[in-house]
Amino acid sequence: MGFENNDKAKGYWRENLRLVLSLLAIWAAVSFGCGILLVDVLNEVHFMGFKLGFWFAQQGSMYVFVALIFVYAAKANALDKKYNVQED
Amino acid sequence: MDVQTLTYIIVGLSFALYIGIAIWSRAGSTKEFYVAGGGVHPVVNGMATAADWMSAASFISLAGIVSFVGYDGSVYLMGWTGGYVLLALCMAPYLRKFGKFTVPDFVGERYYSQAARTVAVICAIFICFTYIAGQMRGVGVVFSRFLEVDVDTGVYIGMAVVFFYAVLGGMKGITYTQVAQYCVLIFAFMVPAIFLSVMMTGHIIPQIGFGAQLLDAAGNNSGVYLLEKLNNVSTELGFAPYTDGSKSMIDVFCITGALMVGTAGLPHVIVRFFTVPKVKDARISAGWALVFIAIMYTTVPALAAFSRVNMIETINGPDAKGVAYESAPDWIKNWEKTGLIKWNDKNGDGKIYYSSGKIEDAASKNEMKIDNDIIVLATPEIANLPAWVIALVAAGGLAAALSTSAGLLLVISTSVSHDLLKKNLMPNISDKKELMFARLAAGVGIVIAGYFGVNPPGFVAAVVAFAFGLAASSLFPAIIMGIFSKTMNKEGAIAGMLTGLLFTAGYIIYFKFVNPADNVAANWFLGISPEGIGMVGMLVNFGVAALVSRVTTATPQHVQEMVESIRFPKGSGEASGH
């Protein structure tokens, strides 16, 4: 067992799930949300020469995906340190 | 120098580089053959993953598809990148901590069941074979056009090269070769895109040129945005507006979902994250992979839009009434020879003209049939770019096809030697024998792939939908539940995988093979096309698994403990404890 006690193990997993779920919420919002479900509404807005919904579908969502993974990696590593379960 | 000679030189140099690397980094042990000795830096691994991922289909066909369907093409752009977020957040770190070689390893141990392992092995092998069939064909097409050999010869040359570095090099050789291939393919993809962006909009970054105003003949801003122009031209010619597309929202939603989830369930992508030294590296490695993929995938829609405008203007001429065939540019005649462009002078005026509708249909004014696959390969010619750019694009297409084939072959050989023989049929096999069988399986894999390259099944696009649908509806849910639920038992997982698989396979087989005439929106379940049905298959899998696990025996204690232990990084073994 890598954790000092059971509560710590539960706490770590709870925080990890919260982190993953909140990032996945952004993931779904930019792709399924802005790029698909809301595309017609957002297309009324113009952004750098693009219709905004179209931009999310063919550009924006991909930039956000990249950022999400780097944010996740940094936060997950910090979480490991907080609970002292990082690799040696 | 002419295009021909330049192509020989550039393609020859790139091949010498790949083979040199493969010989330099030959694998000596089973461990190295499977997972590159576990010592691959995350950035290197990310780059190799990107090369593995970007196939001949992405390099050659994707921009062409987006160019023809506009907004509808977003499903591929978001689907094939969004899957990496799922991989990084929900799978890679945990599978790396688990620390075995393959996806069936995980499924077999997590669900303490030989049957579950076997189902996973079958899915993995099937998915890889459907994929690789298209790759060898891609190699053949590129060779046949640029080296002026016939497609079959192109396929044989490709088989020999892949054999060299996949079979002799193993994962170690492949990883470093793929880094070289990534560099070649991304350079080859970016150069024409940057050229076009500067020529048409004056912006050096294609992603910005994509949204910018077009330049007029004198090089000043014309006041017309590229996308605005595309929408106008598309509407005039009878197409749907470029930025709107014509697929229904629910279909776009489901296809995007199926491709995302399918990406995260593809065995040759997942296996990449077993090869990094630490859990921490698995997380960041997925990020780097996506950076390298996104460089190309965000350029794809820009290139698609540039080529579309360019192509329509070249064919229909400045007055939009068509251009006389005699004075048409060479690329049209060159590609006509390959059969990928067809001209049918319906009104007999001797002019080529492009619009919506089929060329066989007398009611439509369209006289040109243009295959998706030529857009990327022909763009340098369409835009009159220098000959070395054309040669470079050929080398890039080959790099893409070869890197993906090699990665897939490795998964096939691992699945056969490790999952099927060592873990199933011949448990006492020695390391040396296992390595021999792995190489043998890769050899057999190449021959089968080559066979499909020479005799293409004629339904490559349909089979690709198949591969993603199956990955989404079988492997992905099994892995996710294996990590995030301690109570999911073997009965639930197997029932889920089988129902997901049968449902998805049945739906696709019915509409694609049994009764293709019925394959129209009105007959689809909730308006979801076979390409998107994997999303529903995934939900079916989750639902059935949850129900079945409720009414069957609980997961054994030692498996529950294993699940707890993969959830945090501390104590991860070396990348490949055997």
Side-chain angles (χ1 to χ4, degrees):
Chain A
M1 195 68 205
F3 291 97
E4 288 159 33
N5 57 48
N6 229 348
D7 283 349
K8 287 256 168 127
K10 284 203 177 115
Y12 172 83
W13 190 241
R14 205 176 311 118
E15 283 197 51
N16 182 53
L17 285 182
R18 195 180 309 136
L19 170 65
V20 168
L21 287 176
S22 51
L23 294 176
L24 284 181
I26 301 175
W27 166 80
V30 292
S31 53
F32 293 110
C34 300
I36 300 175
L37 297 175
L38 302 174
V39 69
D40 294 329
V41 185
L42 292 177
N43 273 347
E44 300 298 320
V45 182
H46 286 261
F47 170 74
M48 284 168 58
F50 294 94
K51 291 179 175 173
L52 188 57
F54 179 80
W55 181 81
F56 265 109
Q58 300 211 335
Q59 294 280 309
S61 57
M62 290 186 275
Y63 300 132
V64 176
F65 293 159
V66 172
L68 285 176
I69 299 183
F70 282 92
V71 170
Y72 166 73
K75 293 220 166 184
N77 292 342
L79 188 63
D80 293 346
K81 287 226 176 70
K82 181 176 165 192
Y83 283 86
N84 199 23
V85 288
Q86 76 275 34
E87 289 148 303
D88 312 314
Chain B
M1 259 187 284
D2 63 346
V3 175
Q4 198 71 26
T5 327
L6 274 169
T7 308
Y8 275 115
I9 293 173
I10 292 184
V11 170
L13 281 178
S14 65
F15 273 35
L17 178 68
Y18 308 151
I19 293 175
I21 293 174
I23 292 172
W24 164 70
S25 56
R26 275 191 57 176
S29 63
T30 17
K31 192 172 128 182
E32 283 186 343
F33 190 86
Y34 292 143
V35 289
V40 179
H41 190 272
V43 177
V44 172
N45 190 57
M47 206 179 264
T49 309
D52 210 337
W53 178 235
M54 292 190 288
S55 58
S58 335
F59 188 91
I60 300 174
S61 312
L62 185 55
I65 295 172
V66 177
S67 181
F68 282 94
V69 299
Y71 169 77
D72 288 346
S74 314
V75 297
Y76 303 107
L77 300 170
M78 289 190 283
W80 286 337
T81 53
Y84 277 83
V85 177
L86 289 174
L87 251 171
L89 273 56
C90 306
M91 295 163 81
Y94 311 109
L95 293 175
R96 171 60 195 83
K97 173 74 190 285
F98 171 71
K100 293 289 162 62
F101 292 139
T102 65
V103 172
D105 265 344
F106 177 76
V107 173
E109 294 208 12
R110 167 60 183 85
Y111 296 113
Y112 47 98
S113 151
Q114 206 57 249
R117 175 191 294 276
T118 311
V119 175
V121 172
I122 293 170
C123 293
I125 294 181
F126 185 82
I127 292 166
C128 292
F129 264 115
T130 47
Y131 239 81
I132 205 166
Q135 299 301 316
M136 294 315 272
R137 188 69 188 168
V139 177
V141 169
V142 179
F143 270 124
S144 69
R145 170 65 186 84
F146 289 99
L147 303 181
E148 292 185 0
V149 294
D150 61 38
V151 177
D152 295 358
T153 317
V155 172
Y156 297 135
I157 300 173
M159 284 166 69
V161 175
V162 172
F163 182 83
F164 238 96
Y165 64 79
V167 178
L168 299 181
M171 194 66 156
K172 194 170 171 222
I174 286 185
T175 302
Y176 290 106
T177 315
Q178 284 178 331
V179 170
Q181 284 164 333
Y182 176 79
C183 298
V184 172
L185 84 86
I186 199 69
F187 186 64
F189 197 83
M190 295 307 289
V191 166
I194 291 171
F195 260 111
L196 280 173
S197 182
V198 171
M199 278 165 50
M200 296 173 70
T201 67
H203 288 278
I204 195 158
I205 299 171
Q207 285 83 345
I208 294 179
F210 186 26
Q213 295 179 2
L214 290 162
L215 297 179
D216 58 21
N220 300 317
N221 273 352
S222 62
V224 182
Y225 286 97
L226 170 72
L227 288 166
E228 194 183 324
K229 163 129 184 173
L230 255 180
N231 277 346
N232 292 342
V233 171
S234 301
T235 322
E236 275 166 31
L237 297 178
F239 297 100
Y242 192 81
T243 56
D244 289 351
S246 50
K247 279 193 165 79
S248 70
M249 189 178 280
I250 185 166
D251 203 20
V252 170
F253 190 94
C254 285
I255 298 176
T256 307
L259 293 178
M260 282 181 177
V261 172
T263 301
L266 286 179
H268 73 287
V269 176
I270 298 174
V271 77
R272 279 283 166 201
F273 299 98
F274 293 88
T275 68
V276 289
K278 290 182 169 182
V279 172
K280 208 168 86 179
D281 300 329
R283 291 178 183 141
I284 201 77
S285 195
W288 284 113
L290 190 57
V291 167
F292 294 122
I293 292 169
I295 294 175
M296 178 163 149
Y297 272 53
T298 53
T299 310
V300 162
L303 183 67
F306 297 143
S307 321
R308 181 92 178 146
V309 171
N310 233 309
M311 187 195 84
I312 293 175
E313 283 189 342
T314 315
I315 294 178
N316 289 356
D319 59 353
K321 296 219 165 73
V323 166
Y325 182 74
E326 286 81 46
S327 56
D330 288 341
W331 63 267
I332 291 184
K333 292 157 194 165
N334 287 340
W335 284 100
E336 244 186 321
K337 285 183 221 150
T338 63
L340 296 174
I341 284 187
K342 288 197 181 94
W343 177 49
N344 177 7
D345 193 12
K346 281 187 292 200
N347 57 6
D349 64 356
K351 285 180 176 175
I352 53 175
Y353 182 77
Y354 177 71
S355 74
S356 66
K358 292 205 163 76
I359 57 170
E360 298 83 14
D361 180 5
S364 148
K365 283 163 72 183
N366 183 25
E367 302 180 340
M368 302 296 288
K369 185 175 177 188
I370 297 161
D371 195 288
N372 290 338
D373 287 350
I374 73 162
I375 294 297
V376 167
L377 295 176
T379 289
E381 294 174 90
I382 298 178
N384 276 321
L385 299 183
W388 63 268
V389 178
I390 302 175
L392 191 63
V393 170
L398 288 171
L402 293 174
S403 59
T404 307
S405 313
L408 288 165
L409 275 173
L410 202 79
V411 173
I412 293 174
S413 66
T414 320
S415 298
V416 172
S417 69
H418 181 78
D419 296 323
L420 210 60
L421 295 180
K422 186 168 175 97
K423 295 284 174 150
N424 242 331
L425 304 173
M426 306 161 73
N428 298 323
I429 192 170
S430 71
D431 258 23
K432 212 170 164 197
K433 270 258 178 70
E434 193 189 335
L435 189 58
M436 193 194 78
F437 274 113
R439 290 189 164 137
L440 197 68
V444 173
I446 291 177
V447 173
I448 298 176
Y451 173 82
F452 284 118
V454 176
N455 306 293
F459 44 78
V460 174
V463 218
V464 169
F466 219 154
F468 278 93
L470 295 189
S473 61
S474 61
L475 295 179
F476 177 80
I479 296 171
I480 287 293
M481 292 184 296
I483 295 166
F484 290 89
S485 158
K486 280 192 278 189
T487 53
M488 180 49 62
N489 59 12
K490 69 172 175 192
E491 290 84 356
I494 295 174
M497 277 198 282
L498 288 177
T499 43
L501 195 68
L502 289 175
F503 170 80
T504 309
Y507 192 84
I508 297 175
I509 290 173
Y510 177 77
F511 282 114
K512 290 285 189 179
F513 303 105
V514 177
N515 208 348
D518 272 5
N519 193 11
V520 288
N523 295 327
W524 294 339
F525 173 68
L526 297 175
I528 300 168
S529 63
E531 285 77 15
I533 202 68
M535 184 83 170
V536 183
M538 175 192 80
L539 297 176
V540 170
N541 184 334
F542 277 126
V544 169
L547 279 179
V548 172
S549 70
R550 286 275 163 78
V551 296
T552 44
T553 48
T555 320
Q557 193 56 37
H558 75 274
V559 173
Q560 300 209 17
E561 279 163 17
M562 184 199 102
V563 176
E564 273 181 10
S565 77
I566 63 169
R567 288 179 173 182
F568 58 90
K570 193 171 195 166
S572 65
E574 269 190 47
S576 49
H578 202 31

